[in-house]
Amino acid sequence: MIETLIWIVVAVVVIGLYLSWTAGRLDRLHTRIDAARAALDAQLLRRASVAQELATSGVLDPAASIVLYQAAHAARQAEEEQREVAESELSQALRAVFGEAAQVEAVRAAPGGEEAAGELAAAVRRVPMARRFHNDAVRAARALRRHRTVRWFRLAGHAAFPLAFEMDDEPPAALADRPGSA
């Protein structure tokens, strides 16, 4: 009788430890998602700011300046539910404006253009990395939240189901291959 009670207590403790470990792991994943989202937001804001700065610098031709400025402004001002679309449109505008190496070289030739082009190239390269880190964290949290024990014991609490950030983040070819300031 005592031996059975001890085994039951040991089983309950082991199950409790497992559930506690799983809940802690899930909490760490949600924290990682929050940190990755903040880093992604910072990189998106940096990219939009550099693009907007370059559009108003007078280095680009007027049509390219308008296209780039409007896309960057829309990306900076977008509401959360429209953010992916606005950021994708900024990526498309960047590819349209800097699709050819000649345009990048023209920017680099202008006074202060070398620094601006380098900063834009660095910002354009960092966005896909930040998005990948965020989406990897989301994928890991989703996989853990699909486990039966997490659902049955409601280990996720009231945390919202994590959503990936899906956008077109392909950089312009003329900027992607250039070394920029890191």
Side-chain angles (χ1 to χ4, degrees):
M1 182 69 157
I2 298 278
E3 186 176 323
T4 305
L5 188 59
I6 290 174
W7 280 113
I8 291 173
V9 168
V10 167
V12 167
V13 167
V14 168
I15 290 170
L17 287 173
Y18 172 75
L19 292 175
S20 174
W21 176 80
T22 303
R25 182 172 167 224
L26 190 58
D27 184 53
R28 287 189 301 276
L29 282 171
H30 281 280
T31 301
R32 188 171 130 204
I33 289 170
D34 291 343
R37 182 56 189 245
L40 175 61
D41 287 342
Q43 292 305 322
L44 291 171
L45 181 61
R46 181 171 183 249
R47 180 181 77 152
S49 297
V50 171
Q52 207 169 19
E53 203 174 292
L54 194 58
T56 58
S57 69
V59 174
L60 300 172
D61 65 86
S65 291
I66 290 171
V67 166
L68 195 56
Y69 181 83
Q70 287 177 340
H73 181 72
R76 289 182 72 178
Q77 299 298 318
E79 295 293 325
E80 191 60 36
E81 39 302 325
Q82 296 298 317
R83 185 106 187 259
E84 293 172 351
V85 173
E87 294 294 347
S88 294
E89 288 172 355
L90 177 56
S91 295
Q92 293 165 2
L94 285 166
R95 282 197 306 273
V97 172
F98 296 106
E100 299 175 9
Q103 182 69 31
V104 176
E105 293 308 319
V107 169
R108 288 184 185 279
E114 185 72 36
E115 184 179 307
E119 195 174 342
L120 182 61
V124 162
R125 279 193 313 271
R126 287 180 179 153
V127 166
M129 261 191 304
R131 189 174 77 85
R132 196 171 314 118
F133 286 137
H134 175 267
N135 288 350
D136 286 347
V138 166
R139 198 172 5 267
R142 282 180 168 184
L144 184 57
R145 287 181 70 153
R146 283 191 199 106
H147 287 120
R148 260 181 259 154
T149 54
V150 172
R151 288 192 323 256
W152 287 348
F153 291 99
R154 300 175 191 254
L155 298 181
H158 296 289
F161 195 73
L163 299 174
F165 193 87
E166 297 301 334
M167 65 172 272
D168 173 8
D169 61 4
E170 184 180 333
L175 286 174
D177 299 334
R178 308 280 287 167
S181 61

